[in-house]
Amino acid sequence: MLYCMIFFFSFLFFSFICFALSMMFLSKNLLVFLELGVLDILGISAEGVLYLDWKTFLFMSFVLFVSSMILNYSSEYMISDKTLKRFIFLMIMFVCSMMMLILNLNLVSILIGWDGLGLVSYALVIYYQNVKSNSAGMLTALSNRIGDAAIILAISFSVNFSSFNFIFYLSWTQFNENVEDLMKMVLVLIILAAMTKSAQLPFSSWLPAAMAAPTPVSSLVHSSTLVTAGVYFLIRVSEALSFVMMEFLLIISLLTMFMAGLAANFEYDLKKIIALSTLSQLGLMMTILSLGESNLAFMHLLIHALFKALLFMCAGAIIHNFGDNQDIRYMGGLSVNLPLTSACMNISNFALCGLPFLSGFYSKDLIAEVLSMQNLSILVYFIFYFSIGLTVAYSVRLSYYVFWSEVKSLPLSSFSDNNNWGMTKSMLGLVVLVIFMGGIFSWVFLEVSYFIILPVFMKLLTLFFIILGLILGIELVQMEFFYKNLYLSMKKISLFLVGMWNMPIISTIGVNKYALYMGKMYFSVLDQGWFEYYGKSGIFNLMKTLLLNIQFIFSTNHLKMFFTLFVIYLSFWLSILLFM
């Protein structure tokens, strides 16, 4: 409890300082580049680099603020945990790794924070030490190791440019058409690393699996740290990406957004629905980033960090009241018993849907209008707007099951906001920003206002799909008999959709099935078979038989052996004397 309070106030204090510094850097248009030479061998220099601008300080302030609220939340949520101190220090290491990633634009320094995020996230996901969390932790770690390997390869290719500070090459790659193949390879590897960390297809399966971690970890991982690291990295290098790379990112992000929206509408696990909504929003950020609007992607990244952290906190409070039950089918009528939690969760849900004048509206509506002004395929428009409708559908479905439906809990259950007042205070600290921060961003951080020219039909298209998603969500929860029969009649299609297009199977069983089978065959046939027969056991049996025979011969034929050895001895020396 003491450590929670110490780090809560420390992070909150530094968050306000970073926010003030970001305002100062933005108003004065400042940029500070600090470089400390560490090593210089054969023209290859390794430096410690700090890149400070308004984006750096603003992102740091949001990470620190969200982390402080989550630490305060953890002081009550994890109060019965015997190893609370270890949990808090793991969370601090996680935040420090994120700080290392934000402050650096040097590939070697980024690797330290990048690898730190992967290792500490593994330790946090397996925190409960059961079969489910161990499997999820291994999937998370191995998926992120692909990104780590991509960063290491990018560092090895960067040796040819005599510096690992890729910030120096961004403007050169932007205005030079004859970019070297090695620089293209570095950018491709950076995209691969960002895709693994931000769980884009086909690396999406680890994100819902990471729900095996404690709820405070989910709140931190899915709001402002692990999953946003890849998007932030791409925002920093976006000006160097070629048209083909942008097209590839657009296709992948749209498919990720569409897949996550469909899967969330079939899911019944409370935390997994919110995790799939994170995946959908990451696809939205990548989509607008691939259209060249990095500032807009950064704005939505920060706003998403607020309402997604609040969503997980509310989910944790509900799970806490239900005695660790996460199935939304057993919930209902909680708007009466948990009014503060209900208000906070519905506000964050409305912000996720883009309800006007909440924070999510200012970024999502602008993203939709900027995309509408692009010259894109009709299929791109359909997938994007349909995914926005799916977001509203699963949000309405979630709120209905948890808050607006009839009570399904046991008669002796006691639900009250007083049961988790410490958690509620952290939620109330975030809900104010969820309401007002979007408007503040649109007034302060957009240096030049977007000039949107659209016909009335395109202008109302977002509203139309939001209403369509609302109707779809209401229909899904009202027509229970028809919905369940439809689900059973199309069981394979339903399992395909809820299983994230079989991505977990492809990335787990599809990859390791044959490797595990070969390992089993090697162990049984070779290691315990032929190698055992001709190796350790065979040599031992041969030596044992040989020594027993020699012992028998020497122990039962003393005189014969003596004469035999004497003859051999004499023959040896006589042959030496004759041939000399």
Side-chain angles (χ1 to χ4, degrees):
M1 181 72 78
L2 177 63
Y3 288 102
C4 289
M5 289 299 104
I6 291 171
F7 286 112
F8 164 67
F9 286 112
S10 302
F11 282 2
L12 196 60
F13 174 71
F14 285 115
S15 170
F16 290 140
I17 289 177
C18 288
F19 190 79
L21 286 171
S22 70
M23 294 294 101
M24 185 185 76
F25 272 62
L26 181 63
S27 61
K28 296 185 178 182
N29 199 19
L30 292 176
L31 191 151
V32 178
F33 188 85
L34 300 174
E35 186 175 19
L36 175 66
V38 178
L39 194 65
D40 195 347
I41 300 175
L42 299 176
I44 301 169
S45 59
E47 308 95 1
V49 177
L50 295 178
Y51 186 83
L52 307 175
D53 63 349
W54 70 272
K55 284 183 180 177
T56 303
F57 283 117
L58 188 61
F59 195 26
M60 283 176 62
S61 74
F62 269 69
V63 171
L64 289 170
F65 182 79
V66 171
S67 303
S68 67
M69 293 297 143
I70 292 170
L71 285 172
N72 187 44
Y73 179 89
S74 304
S75 63
E76 183 173 346
Y77 190 88
M78 306 289 290
I79 195 168
S80 60
D81 189 18
K82 295 180 180 179
T83 56
L84 178 61
K85 189 188 295 185
R86 184 181 70 181
F87 177 77
I88 296 301
F89 282 119
L90 281 172
M91 296 277 278
I92 303 306
M93 288 171 62
F94 199 70
V95 175
C96 291
S97 299
M98 192 66 195
M99 294 295 110
M100 176 74 74
L101 184 66
I102 295 169
L103 286 168
N104 285 290
L105 284 183
N106 177 285
L107 283 173
V108 177
S109 305
I110 281 174
L111 179 65
I112 299 170
W114 198 271
D115 218 0
L117 283 174
L119 291 172
V120 181
S121 66
Y122 172 72
L124 286 168
V125 170
I126 66 166
Y127 187 77
Y128 283 140
Q129 294 292 308
N130 52 41
V131 175
K132 182 183 177 183
S133 62
N134 286 333
S135 302
M138 188 57 66
L139 177 59
T140 302
L142 292 179
S143 299
N144 283 289
R145 293 308 284 175
I146 299 171
D148 299 341
I151 294 286
I152 293 170
L153 285 172
I155 290 170
S156 64
F157 284 123
S158 299
V159 170
N160 294 277
F161 304 106
S162 72
S163 176
F164 300 117
N165 299 327
F166 63 87
I167 191 71
F168 294 153
Y169 309 112
L170 295 184
S171 57
W172 175 67
T173 53
Q174 186 181 10
F175 297 109
N176 189 356
E177 293 183 358
N178 301 317
V179 179
E180 293 186 26
D181 290 337
L182 280 175
M183 180 51 70
K184 290 180 181 177
M185 184 59 69
V186 169
L187 292 172
V188 167
L189 289 168
I190 287 173
I191 289 173
L192 175 63
M195 284 173 60
T196 57
K197 196 67 82 176
S198 294
Q200 301 297 296
L201 282 173
F203 309 108
S204 303
S205 57
W206 72 263
L207 190 64
M211 288 299 96
T215 304
V217 176
S218 304
S219 183
L220 188 61
V221 164
H222 289 188
S223 62
S224 57
T225 51
L226 185 65
V227 295
T228 56
V231 180
Y232 178 76
F233 198 12
L234 279 183
I235 287 170
R236 286 301 194 184
V237 302
S238 58
E239 62 188 61
L241 301 180
S242 66
F243 178 74
V244 176
M245 295 174 187
M246 291 288 201
E247 274 194 332
F248 172 75
L249 268 180
L250 178 65
I251 295 167
I252 292 295
S253 57
L254 281 171
L255 289 176
T256 305
M257 188 179 171
F258 184 58
M259 177 267 295
L262 280 174
N265 277 287
F266 285 87
E267 189 58 61
Y268 287 102
D269 189 306
L270 176 58
K271 284 176 69 177
K272 196 168 281 188
I273 292 172
I274 304 174
L276 289 167
S277 80
T278 300
L279 197 54
S280 176
Q281 296 304 302
L282 287 169
L284 180 66
M285 294 174 212
M286 287 285 198
T287 300
I288 197 62
L289 178 62
S290 61
L291 295 175
E293 298 293 341
S294 58
N295 283 337
L296 200 51
F298 184 66
M299 177 181 171
H300 188 64
L301 183 145
L302 296 179
I303 293 171
H304 170 262
L306 294 173
F307 63 71
K308 193 49 59 74
L310 182 58
L311 262 177
F312 271 109
M313 285 182 179
C314 297
I318 293 168
I319 292 166
H320 196 68
N321 272 281
F322 268 88
D324 299 330
N325 179 27
Q326 297 178 196
D327 196 325
I328 60 174
R329 289 171 292 188
Y330 292 99
M331 302 175 187
L334 292 184
S335 56
V336 177
N337 298 314
L338 299 171
L340 283 174
T341 304
S342 172
C344 291
M345 190 162 182
N346 280 322
I347 287 170
S348 54
N349 250 339
F350 292 151
L352 173 65
C353 296
L355 195 75
F357 311 117
L358 289 174
S359 59
F361 166 77
Y362 292 95
S363 57
K364 286 192 75 172
D365 189 64
L366 200 53
I367 288 171
E369 290 182 345
V370 168
L371 182 131
S372 298
M373 291 179 66
Q374 306 290 328
N375 186 17
L376 300 168
S377 163
I378 189 68
L379 184 62
V380 171
Y381 283 117
F382 173 76
I383 293 175
F384 179 81
Y385 281 107
F386 192 68
S387 301
I388 288 176
L390 289 173
T391 302
V392 180
Y394 66 69
S395 299
V396 171
R397 177 174 173 267
L398 176 63
S399 291
Y400 176 84
Y401 269 103
V402 176
F403 300 116
W404 304 330
S405 62
E406 66 276 4
V407 178
K408 306 182 190 74
S409 55
L410 296 173
L412 297 177
S413 301
S414 174
F415 304 130
S416 173
D417 284 322
N418 295 323
N419 295 342
N420 42 269
W421 180 241
M423 292 187 263
T424 307
K425 286 190 287 187
S426 296
M427 292 189 285
L428 293 174
L430 276 172
V431 74
V432 178
L433 296 182
V434 171
I435 296 171
F436 295 110
M437 190 52 75
I440 295 170
F441 272 1
S442 63
W443 303 327
V444 176
F445 297 117
L446 295 178
E447 299 173 6
V448 180
S449 298
Y450 283 87
F451 188 61
I452 308 292
I453 302 176
L454 288 172
V456 177
F457 169 72
M458 295 296 289
K459 192 76 174 174
L460 296 176
L461 197 59
T462 309
L463 184 62
F464 170 74
F465 272 95
I466 286 174
I467 295 171
L468 193 66
L470 178 65
I471 295 169
L472 177 63
I474 293 170
E475 287 297 321
L476 285 177
V477 296
Q478 292 292 339
M479 300 172 64
E480 291 187 4
F481 181 76
F482 174 75
Y483 176 60
K484 287 174 182 174
N485 279 283
L486 185 66
Y487 185 91
L488 291 172
S489 64
M490 293 191 273
K491 186 179 178 182
K492 291 185 178 179
I493 297 174
S494 302
L495 290 175
F496 174 74
L497 294 176
V498 77
M500 298 169 60
W501 298 357
N502 293 334
M503 280 298 129
I505 297 171
I506 294 169
S507 58
T508 53
I509 300 170
V511 175
N512 58 25
K513 178 182 177 181
Y514 298 103
L516 290 173
Y517 177 74
M518 288 300 296
K520 180 182 177 183
M521 290 297 295
Y522 167 80
F523 183 71
S524 59
V525 176
L526 295 179
D527 195 45
Q528 292 185 337
W530 293 106
F531 288 168
E532 189 75 16
Y533 184 76
Y534 286 111
K536 173 177 68 71
S537 298
I539 293 171
F540 173 77
N541 291 329
L542 180 65
M543 293 298 294
K544 180 181 175 182
T545 306
L546 184 62
L547 289 172
L548 284 173
N549 289 331
I550 291 172
Q551 184 182 6
F552 175 75
I553 291 169
F554 274 89
S555 61
T556 56
N557 296 284
H558 303 290
L559 188 62
K560 290 180 182 179
M561 287 303 302
F562 174 77
F563 281 118
T564 304
L565 290 173
F566 182 71
V567 170
I568 292 171
Y569 179 76
L570 285 177
S571 303
F572 175 72
W573 284 108
L574 285 172
S575 62
I576 291 175
L577 290 171
L578 288 172
F579 287 104
M580 280 182 65

